[in-house]
Amino acid sequence: MLSDAIDAVDWSAVPAPPNPRYRPEVIADSLKELATATTLDQVADAASRLAGGGIVHDHSGMVFPSASRAAPLLLGIMAQGHPRARAAAVGLLDDALRFHPLAGYNRVATEHETHVPICCAVARSVRSRRDVVLAQGRPGKGLLTEARLHWRFDIEEALPVSEGVVAAFGVLEGVLPSPPVGGELHAGPARFPVPTVETEYPPADDTGQACLLLKGVPAEEAVAGSALHPAACGEREH
């Protein structure tokens, strides 16, 4: 049940920024109430607490690390909740993608990586429930469009092309912007800047298989099993 999944998260263990706007004590109960809410008042009350310091602070445009843990739960509400609660979940996730985190609290640990930008962790959760998100109509489509901007590329093979240029083959989630952008390469606990990431061959189908050119990175750093994220996401700070 969704309530069990909410209780399974140790919200007190989520990195807590030293900011009076952050209110981790409201998260679990607010998520449970949103999951069962049916009236406008019930939805507004639960969502306002989550938006007022639980996972984001809407008045200041700030997102907290707790948003990454709440994202799969909000997607569960989007799948199972009342239409009013579903709409609130879309709005909260959209805020989590667009708002900026506090300096020093802009990254989270996920199942597969450490030090992932909060927005990228939330975006991956959103992309993983694509059908549920699209079922929310225009707001859901807008949320998915925003999530696709926080792209991720999993490297399966890398070959040096010339000095400082590596051709990386793997799976692209989301949409790599054009013109080329900066990236950050995650290899285990280490992170390396990639000055330029350029699409060589875009995905031809839903598998996401693509080839990217990584410029300005030593070949020994771009190894199979590493992942790329947008540099701009890692630089976000409130």
Side-chain angles (χ1 to χ4, degrees), residues 1-9 11 28 30-37 69-82 85 89 129:
M1 292 180 62
L2 196 52
S3 60
D4 293 334
I6 294 169
D7 284 334
V9 179
W11 298 102
S30 299
L31 284 169
K32 289 180 185 177
E33 290 172 24
L34 186 61
T36 58
R69 301 298 301 273
L73 303 168
L74 288 168
L75 287 158
I77 292 171
M78 203 182 294
Q80 304 172 24
H82 188 276
R129 301 295 300 272

Side-chain angles (χ1 to χ4, degrees), residues 180-192:
V181 294
E184 60 177 41
L185 183 65
H186 292 232
R191 302 195 311 272
F192 307 98

